[in-house]
Amino acid sequence: VGKEGKVSYWDFIYADTFEGLVTRAYLTSFLLTYGYADVEIDPLKEEILLLPRSKPEVSHKQEQRSSVPIPIDYVRWKMLKEQR
């Protein structure tokens, strides 16, 4: 986590294999669902950040949660791998 308490989604899920990246993205979705982290999306900067929590946020209310699909493809993984 950086100085602002945030980490890039792509840095967090990166793996040396495409299958590893997909697995880490899948597992990250559970961290978000169960309240261990929040996601912050800045569409202008095309940036996705994760904000970890020290304790999971559990909602006892019947509030409606939203889901954010994040497309993952082989081309993006290759680009991430080349940047490392």
Side-chain angles (χ1 to χ4, degrees), residues 58-65:
V58 180
S59 176
H60 299 289
K61 300 177 189 175
Q62 288 288 9
E63 64 185 43
Q64 186 171 351
R65 293 188 159 256

Side-chain angles (χ1 to χ4, degrees), residues 1 18 22 32 46 59 63:
V1 177
F18 179 67
V22 172
L32 295 167
E46 295 183 2
S59 176
E63 64 185 43

Side-chain angles (χ1 to χ4, degrees), residues 29 32-33 37-39 41 63-69:
S29 73
L32 295 167
T33 299
D38 280 325
V39 66
I41 299 174
E63 64 185 43
Q64 186 171 351
R65 293 188 159 256
S66 61
S67 179
V68 178

Side-chain angles (χ1 to χ4, degrees), residues 28-84:
T28 301
S29 73
F30 284 95
L31 293 175
L32 295 167
T33 299
Y34 291 110
Y36 287 93
D38 280 325
V39 66
E40 183 178 288
I41 299 174
D42 185 341
L44 296 176
K45 293 182 183 177
E46 295 183 2
E47 189 174 58
I48 304 169
L49 299 171
L50 297 175
L51 297 88
R53 296 186 176 156
S54 56
K55 292 184 178 182
E57 182 178 293
V58 180
S59 176
H60 299 289
K61 300 177 189 175
Q62 288 288 9
E63 64 185 43
Q64 186 171 351
R65 293 188 159 256
S66 61
S67 179
V68 178
I70 301 172
I72 297 173
D73 59 43
Y74 187 77
V75 173
R76 176 168 296 251
W77 172 75
K78 291 277 287 185
M79 183 183 71
L80 291 169
K81 189 170 182 158
E82 291 171 2
Q83 290 175 353
R84 294 190 180 263

Side-chain angles (χ1 to χ4, degrees), residues 7-42:
V7 63
S8 164
Y9 173 78
W10 297 109
D11 288 343
F12 188 75
I13 68 164
Y14 178 78
D16 289 332
T17 65
F18 179 67
E19 293 80 7
L21 178 106
V22 172
T23 300
R24 290 178 62 95
Y26 178 71
L27 295 172
T28 301
S29 73
F30 284 95
L31 293 175
L32 295 167
T33 299
Y34 291 110
Y36 287 93
D38 280 325
V39 66
E40 183 178 288
I41 299 174
D42 185 341

